Amino acid sequence: MGIAMYFHVGIVLLFVAHNVSASEPYGNVTLQSPIMSARVFLPFQDGSGDSQYYVGSRFEHGSMIGDVVFGHKTMYGRDMWRTPHDASWPESGVGLASEFGCGDDGPTCEGKGDITNGVLGYKSAKNGEPFLKIGVGALVKGSCPDCLTDPTDNYKFNSPYKFYRQPKWTTLRSPSSNEVSFVHEESLGDLGYRIQKTIRLEGDMMTVRTILSNSGKKQISTPWYSHHFFTGDNDPVGPGYGIDLGLSEYGVRASGTLFNQPGMGIWAEDLNTYANVTKARDGSISMKMTKTIPEGVRLKAEFLDEQTHTWTDGSFTLHAPNGLSVEERIPELQSQNRNPFIYKYNVYAERGTLSPEPMLLLYLQPAETTVWTQHLKFTSPVDAKFGAPYLSMFLPSDWQITSFMYWRSALAVALCSAAFAGFYSMFISVTRVHAYSPIPEVAVD
C-alpha cells in the first residue's frame, strides 16, 4: 500500500467522523440531504421509550424542528434559548416550534367573530375540567400557576397547565429517509381535531406540511404561527442579523409608523433602540439589528393586524452574521380562496432569537380540512461562491470559527493518519530491502 492508498483511508476516516454525533437524550430523527441536515424531535408515542424534547402546554408537539446544519454552519440551534432546558416549560421550544393561538392571554383573540386562542371548550369548562389546546392535547382548566392568582379566569398561554391525559402521536411510514410524518388527534365531547405533520428535506429546501381537520361537531376558528427561534452559530442577536419582510405590495399602514409595539413600556422595550426598520421606494420593509440585545430585554413589533386586508404569502428572509439566510413562504396563502389567510405579521426578538411570526387564520366547519406548507430555502453567499457548502470548510478564514473545531480536529486526525501510514509503509519497504540479500541474476555454483 502506497501513500495515496493511505490518504484515501484517511479521507474515509474523516467522513466517518463527520457522521458520528454526540449522544442525544431526546428521541429524534435527523433528516439529511447532500448539503445540509435538520433534527426533528419526536413527540410522545406509545412503546417508544424515548424522552421527549418538549412536553409543554403551549407549542404543537410535532413541530420541534431545529439544529439545522448547512455546510459546517448552524442555525435554529438550542444553546441560546431558555437554558438550561426544561422540557415541560411552555416556552422551551426549538427552531420551527409552532402554536395554535395568537400568543396572548385570554380564551379568544382580537378580530371579527369568535376567534379562539387555539383552545376548544375553555369557556364552558369549569376549573378542574378538561379543555383542548390544538396540537397539544387535553389540559386541565385552572391548573396553571398563573391561574391561581388571576381572578379573571382567563386562559394563560405561557403558563404550564397539567394534562388531563397523555397526548399521543403516531409516526407514519414515509416514502424516503429524508422525510418524517406524524399524526395526532384528540376529542372532547362535541369538539375534536386531527393534525398530520410532514417534514421533508431535499437539497437546500425544507418543507413542513400541516393538515388540520375538524373532527368535532362545532366550528373551529384559530390563528396559527411558527415562532422561528432563530440564531446563527449561537451568536446573540445584534449587528449582522436582519429580516426582509414579504410585505412590499400589501396592506401595510399608508401613513404614520410602520409598526406598533403593544408591549412597550409594560414588558417590552423600544425596538428602535436595537434595530433600524426601513421602507424602500418599492414598499419593501427591512429590519437590521444595530445593537446587541442584552439579557432580559424583549422586543415585539406588529406590522399587520386583523383589520388589514392583504394578499401575501407570509414570506420573509432571515439573515445571520455567519452568512446564512433562510427564506420562508407559504404558497397556500395566495393559492386558496379563503382558508388559510393572513391574520397578523409580528416580529419578536430577544438576545437568543430573532423571530418573524406571520400568523395564519383558520376557519374549519365540522368535517372540514385545510392544509398549508412552509417552504424554507437555506442559502449562504460564501458557500455558493465555492460551488457547494462543504467546500467552504477549506476557506482559511473559517478555520478560526469555534463551531468549525470539530471539522478541524477530524481533518487533522485524518491527514496525520494518512501521513503516518505513508511514511510507515516507506520505512517498512526500505527495511525489507536492507534486511535481505538480493536474489542473484545468475545461478550460484
Side-chain angles (χ1 to χ4, degrees):
M1 296 177 68
I3 294 179
M5 183 64 178
Y6 282 101
F7 182 77
H8 291 159
V9 172
I11 293 298
V12 170
L13 291 174
L14 173 63
F15 178 78
V16 172
H18 173 62
N19 284 275
V20 175
S21 60
S23 177
E24 174 58 58
Y26 305 106
N28 72 93
V29 171
T30 299
L31 305 181
Q32 293 182 323
S33 78
I35 60 175
M36 64 178 293
S37 65
R39 182 168 289 164
V40 181
F41 292 94
L42 303 177
F44 178 82
Q45 302 173 79
D46 280 337
S48 68
D50 292 327
S51 297
Q52 284 72 54
Y53 184 82
Y54 184 79
V55 292
S57 58
R58 176 180 174 183
F59 293 117
E60 186 184 346
H61 287 195
S63 65
M64 299 297 134
I65 308 161
D67 290 354
V68 174
V69 179
F70 189 88
H72 64 273
K73 300 176 181 179
T74 65
M75 62 184 111
Y76 292 113
R78 292 176 278 165
D79 294 339
M80 293 294 292
W81 182 255
R82 299 300 182 262
T83 56
H85 179 66
D86 180 354
S88 63
W89 188 248
E91 289 186 316
S92 296
V94 62
L96 304 184
S98 61
E99 179 182 12
F100 286 90
C102 49
D104 288 317
D105 287 342
T108 60
C109 299
E110 295 179 341
K112 298 177 180 179
D114 187 16
I115 301 175
T116 65
N117 195 2
V119 293
L120 306 177
Y122 183 89
K123 289 183 177 180
S124 59
K126 298 178 181 179
N127 283 342
E129 294 182 345
F131 67 95
L132 299 183
K133 169 76 170 181
I134 303 175
V136 175
L139 306 175
V140 178
K141 185 175 180 178
S143 63
C144 73
D146 290 351
C147 301
L148 304 178
T149 59
D150 185 4
T152 65
D153 199 35
N154 267 345
Y155 166 69
K156 303 295 184 180
F157 82 105
N158 210 28
S159 191
Y161 283 84
K162 294 181 180 179
F163 280 82
Y164 180 72
R165 54 176 167 255
Q166 174 70 57
K168 297 180 181 179
W169 293 70
T170 302
T171 300
L172 304 179
R173 180 173 294 181
S174 299
S176 62
S177 59
N178 63 332
E179 179 180 301
V180 61
S181 294
F182 312 116
V183 65
H184 160 67
E185 51 190 324
E186 187 61 271
S187 61
L188 190 65
D190 291 339
L191 304 169
Y193 67 86
R194 183 182 189 274
I195 295 175
Q196 182 173 328
K197 206 89 171 175
T198 301
I199 304 100
R200 182 176 179 83
L201 184 62
E202 192 165 1
D204 59 1
M205 178 72 71
M206 180 193 298
T207 56
V208 183
R209 188 169 188 252
T210 304
I211 303 175
L212 176 65
S213 301
N214 183 353
S215 59
K217 298 179 180 179
K218 296 182 179 180
Q219 175 183 285
I220 293 177
S221 60
T222 180
W224 173 95
Y225 69 100
S226 179
H227 200 297
H228 288 279
F229 293 108
F230 179 83
T231 54
D233 285 339
N234 295 317
D235 291 327
V237 175
Y241 281 95
I243 313 176
D244 299 322
L245 305 178
L247 297 171
S248 58
E249 53 187 274
Y250 310 114
V252 295
R253 296 173 178 87
S255 61
T257 60
L258 289 176
F259 53 90
N260 291 329
Q261 300 186 74
M264 189 173 67
I266 305 173
W267 57 265
E269 295 192 16
D270 187 0
L271 176 66
N272 295 297
T273 304
Y274 300 92
N276 184 26
V277 182
T278 58
K279 183 177 181 180
R281 290 183 177 180
D282 64 355
S284 60
I285 297 176
S286 297
M287 187 177 92
K288 293 184 178 180
M289 304 304 300
T290 58
K291 184 179 177 181
T292 301
I293 302 177
E295 290 284 357
V297 171
R298 295 180 290 174
L299 311 169
K300 183 177 180 179
E302 294 182 348
F303 288 86
L304 295 179
D305 55 37
E306 67 282 352
Q307 303 298 329
T308 307
H309 297 283
T310 65
W311 184 248
T312 175
D313 59 359
S315 63
F316 61 80
T317 302
L318 272 165
H319 305 282
N322 62 7
L324 290 180
S325 297
V326 55
E327 176 189 3
E328 183 189 272
R329 58 188 180 85
I330 302 176
E332 289 88 354
L333 283 171
Q334 291 185 326
S335 62
Q336 297 181 174
N337 291 331
R338 56 171 290 273
N339 204 13
F341 54 89
I342 200 73
Y343 172 66
K344 288 187 178 183
Y345 202 126
N346 300 338
V347 173
Y348 180 84
E350 287 188 24
R351 184 178 179 85
T353 185
L354 181 59
S355 303
E357 299 173 349
M359 288 189 173
L360 282 58
L361 185 55
L362 313 167
Y363 284 102
L364 284 85
Q365 297 298 329
E368 187 177 2
T369 295
T370 190
V371 59
W372 63 96
T373 309
Q374 299 167 259
H375 291 249
L376 298 102
K377 183 178 177 61
F378 299 85
T379 59
S380 172
V382 173
D383 295 332
K385 177 181 177 182
F386 283 82
Y390 61 82
L391 294 180
S392 68
M393 62 174 285
F394 296 107
L395 288 173
S397 60
D398 285 344
W399 286 69
Q400 304 302 319
I401 299 176
T402 303
S403 63
F404 191 40
M405 187 177 297
Y406 176 83
W407 275 99
R408 293 202 305 267
S409 301
L411 182 59
V413 170
L415 293 178
C416 289
S417 299
F420 175 79
F423 284 119
Y424 180 78
S425 176
M426 293 175 60
F427 175 77
I428 291 299
S429 298
V430 172
T431 302
R432 287 175 177 172
V433 169
H434 290 284
Y436 296 95
S437 298
I439 298 176
E441 297 181 357
V442 297
V444 178
D445 294 335

